[in-house]
Amino acid sequence: MTQSTQTTINKNLALAEIIEKAGTIGEYRAVFYEKFLKTDIYVLVKKGYDEGNSFNANAPIITFEDQKIPVFTDPKHIYDQGAIQDEMSYMKVNGRSFLELAMGHTIIINPFSKVYKELVPNEIADMLNGSIFNVMKDNVAHIHLPVLIGKPEHEPLDLLRDLKTTFTAIPSISSAYLGWLFNERIDQKPHYIFAVECTTKNAAEFKEIADVISNLCKPHLKKEEYIDIVRLEKNGNFSDYFYNQDQPFYTK
């Protein structure tokens, strides 16, 4: 794998502390997204709901009047700053599993704390399909993650066959590459990255392509696995590797 410069940060902080640091230290945004997907969170439910039940789409989740959903990194944060005085019922659920159930909604993490984080629907979709980890942007800066990238030892042949078949029906896709990505700061093990070269420059259209790829990948991945999806273009993310050291698994 090709290695780039790395910065040491503390990945072992509690999720609430990571949220605080992510507000001022750009590198912690990647840590936040990754940790949220893997960590258990707490969701308010109506009193009387059996907390012994497994969390599911039919659980009576409590939302704000604007339909945003409050979630908490720890039950103690439900009562931050005295915003809630009454004892509340809540359920614990894995962060990724909850986002999959709450697609289309805006989530507010620790809404009563001095530092909170809002996740909007597009951001949540990018977290679930992995594209949030490619280039994370805000109004101030673009953050390029230091990574190791190379060729996977084992190619997912059934998945690649499904992707090739689907890509033939998408005129804007001209080629696609498969890589093996590892970010020492946030990854426990490497994962697949799909680099797609296409004629469209429209972000919404590429988002639709990324969603198609993500949905096709789900049956081929284990529950804890995820992928990255990037638009491949000259001088873009990972372009040197894919253009100079790899071959596409699909070409129009």
Side-chain angles (χ1 to χ4, degrees):
M1 285 186 172
T2 303
Q3 185 168 8
S4 50
T5 305
Q6 305 209 359
T7 302
T8 301
I9 58 178
N10 188 352
K11 299 182 293 183
N12 298 317
L13 296 174
L15 186 56
E17 295 177 280
I18 291 173
I19 292 174
E20 291 186 17
K21 288 188 174 294
T24 56
I25 304 173
E27 288 81 0
Y28 272 93
R29 286 196 283 276
V31 180
F32 160 72
Y33 287 126
E34 177 65 13
K35 190 153 189 169
F36 185 93
L37 290 169
K38 294 180 178 180
T39 299
D40 288 335
I41 59 168
Y42 299 84
V43 183
L44 299 179
V45 293
K46 294 180 180 178
K47 288 188 180 296
Y49 186 70
D50 185 356
E51 295 185 14
N53 290 343
S54 59
F55 192 87
N56 59 67
N58 296 318
I61 301 170
I62 292 177
T63 66
F64 290 136
E65 290 183 0
D66 58 6
Q67 299 305 305
K68 294 179 180 180
I69 304 175
V71 303
F72 302 88
T73 57
D74 188 282
K76 67 183 181 182
H77 293 302
I78 296 171
Y79 308 100
D80 280 353
Q81 304 192 77
I84 292 180
Q85 299 292 330
D86 298 330
E87 184 176 349
M88 302 297 294
S89 296
Y90 57 84
M91 293 193 70
K92 183 169 70 173
V93 59
N94 169 263
R96 173 180 284 275
S97 298
F98 178 72
L99 293 185
E100 289 174 347
L101 289 174
M103 284 283 286
H105 293 273
T106 295
I107 311 301
I108 306 181
I109 307 164
N110 293 344
F112 310 127
S113 303
K114 291 182 179 179
V115 179
Y116 64 90
K117 168 63 180 171
E118 185 170 298
L119 294 176
V120 298
N122 287 346
E123 189 177 11
I124 291 171
D126 289 345
M127 288 174 67
L128 292 174
N129 68 32
S131 62
I132 198 79
F133 299 102
N134 305 330
V135 180
M136 291 173 297
K137 54 184 80 172
D138 59 14
N139 294 330
V140 179
H142 295 261
I143 303 152
H144 298 266
L145 301 183
V147 297
L148 301 170
I149 187 168
K151 192 174 184 63
E153 292 183 7
H154 305 287
E155 292 189 347
L157 298 180
D158 290 342
L159 170 58
L160 295 183
R161 183 170 57 250
D162 290 348
L163 289 171
K164 289 177 185 178
T165 301
T166 300
F167 288 171
T168 59
I170 304 177
S172 60
I173 296 179
S174 53
S175 63
Y177 298 72
L178 172 66
W180 199 226
L181 194 69
F182 179 68
N183 184 330
E184 187 176 271
R185 298 198 321 242
I186 63 175
D187 290 334
Q188 295 183 350
K189 59 183 180 180
H191 57 273
Y192 294 121
I193 176 173
F194 293 91
V196 183
E197 190 174 38
C198 53
T199 56
T200 180
K201 298 298 182 182
N202 184 289
E205 290 182 18
F206 186 78
K207 173 66 169 55
E208 292 178 0
I209 292 173
D211 287 344
V212 168
I213 296 172
S214 177
N215 289 331
L216 284 172
C217 288
K218 285 180 181 178
H220 299 274
L221 300 176
K222 296 178 181 177
K223 185 176 181 180
E224 69 276 8
E225 291 180 319
Y226 67 93
I227 61 171
D228 276 344
I229 304 168
V230 297
R231 184 207 304 270
L232 185 62
E233 51 192 350
K234 299 295 184 182
N235 301 316
N237 292 334
F238 313 114
S239 59
D240 287 344
Y241 170 75
F242 287 114
Y243 283 134
N244 300 325
Q245 301 181 46
D246 198 18
Q247 297 293 324
F249 69 85
Y250 170 82
T251 54
K252 185 69 73 184

